[in-house]
Amino acid sequence: QVQLVESGGGLVKPGGSLRLSCAASGFTFSDYYMSWIRQAPGKGLEWVSYISSSGSTIYYADSVKGRFTISRDNAKNSLYLQMNSLRAEDTAVYYCARDSSGWYWDYWGQGTLVTVSS
Amino acid sequence: QSALTQPASVSGSPGQSITISCTGTSSDVGGYNYVSWYQQHPGKAPKLMIYEVSNRPSGVSNRFSGSKSGNTASLTISGLQAEDEADYYCSSYTSSSTFYVFGTGTKVTVL
């Protein structure tokens, strides 16, 4: 069965960096686009970034452009999100999600909490 | 790009039908058939309920249905059950630079 398991979250000071990982299993990872989506505590969902199956096409939300970098390693069935210059408003649960290529996400991980606070 | 507009809350009694609206613009909901709906129980990850306006993934109850008219998409839950109590989010492709936009979210309460 499809599984997505995020890791790497934690407490970081403003201006700091963190790298999230998402381990995928149960499907051919290299065939699928992937996304990171976040949810601030008590708030709604916000799409963060997208990467194509080969990694050649990448998109970012305006709120993270220039600070976050999405990448993937198809040999390791893994998705990553490098987050730099973190701000308090980046505090959220970060989900990795499989993009169906139909502009929707059919599987989601359980999420990893990132807290940016001094 | 502003979030799609959803009612903050909708409630109904067991067995009733409820409808959640999701209003956007011609740049997102109205312009493309790429509206999807997600159910989220407290502390859990979102779950896909409807994709491409009205398609149900395998395993999702046929009590859930989707539709669209103009710039507004709708999710209808018929035969409301206690387990349907959750937050629901719509999402759409958008021609703006953000590519994806979510709705503001709706809390469904089963009375």
Side-chain angles (χ1 to χ4, degrees), chain B residues 5 19 42 50 57 73 78 83 100 106:
Chain B
T5 301
T19 297
I50 295 288
S78 58
E83 67 210 48
Y100 300 93
T106 297

Side-chain angles (χ1 to χ4, degrees), chain A residues 97-110:
Chain A
R98 192 175 83 168
D99 193 308
S100 66
S101 74
W103 303 100
Y104 62 91
W105 304 277
D106 53 1
Y107 288 95
W108 299 59
Q110 87 288 350

Side-chain angles (χ1 to χ4, degrees), chain A residues 33 35 37 39 43-47 50 59-62 65 95 99 102-111, chain B residues 1 34 36 38 40 43-48 50-52 87 89 91-93 97-104:
Chain A
Y33 306 163
S35 282
I37 296 158
Q39 186 171 34
K43 302 297 185 182
L45 299 168
E46 179 189 17
W47 169 75
Y50 154 106
Y59 302 133
Y60 296 101
D62 290 342
K65 204 172 292 183
Y95 296 100
D99 193 308
W103 303 100
Y104 62 91
W105 304 277
D106 53 1
Y107 288 95
W108 299 59
Q110 87 288 350
Chain B
Q1 172 69 46
Y34 291 133
S36 53
Y38 303 87
Q40 187 179 34
K44 301 295 188 183
K47 175 188 175 184
L48 177 67
I50 295 288
Y51 66 94
E52 292 172 353
D87 293 327
Y89 294 91
S91 180
S92 174
Y93 168 79
S97 62
T98 55
F99 298 102
Y100 300 93
V101 61
F102 280 101
T104 49

Side-chain angles (χ1 to χ4, degrees), chain B residues 12-99:
Chain B
S13 299
Q16 285 187 329
S17 292
I18 61 169
T19 297
I20 303 167
S21 61
C22 169
T23 301
T25 69
S26 58
S27 296
D28 38 66
V29 174
Y32 308 91
N33 288 325
Y34 291 133
V35 177
S36 53
W37 290 90
Y38 303 87
Q39 176 192 64
Q40 187 179 34
H41 288 107
K44 301 295 188 183
K47 175 188 175 184
L48 177 67
M49 305 302 285
I50 295 288
Y51 66 94
E52 292 172 353
V53 177
S54 59
N55 295 304
R56 242 184 348 266
S58 173
V60 172
S61 170
N62 59 9
R63 297 184 299 102
F64 291 84
S65 61
S67 62
K68 190 184 81 166
S69 177
N71 295 337
T72 298
S74 299
L75 174 71
T76 297
I77 309 174
S78 58
L80 200 61
Q81 300 180 0
E83 67 210 48
D84 301 331
E85 187 161 292
D87 293 327
Y88 291 82
Y89 294 91
C90 62
S91 180
S92 174
Y93 168 79
T94 170
S95 57
S96 77
S97 62
T98 55
F99 298 102

Side-chain angles (χ1 to χ4, degrees), chain A residues 62-78:
Chain A
D62 290 342
S63 57
V64 307
K65 204 172 292 183
R67 300 187 299 122
F68 290 11
T69 302
I70 192 172
S71 62
R72 64 190 297 160
D73 185 335
N74 287 342
K76 294 183 177 179
N77 292 335
S78 293

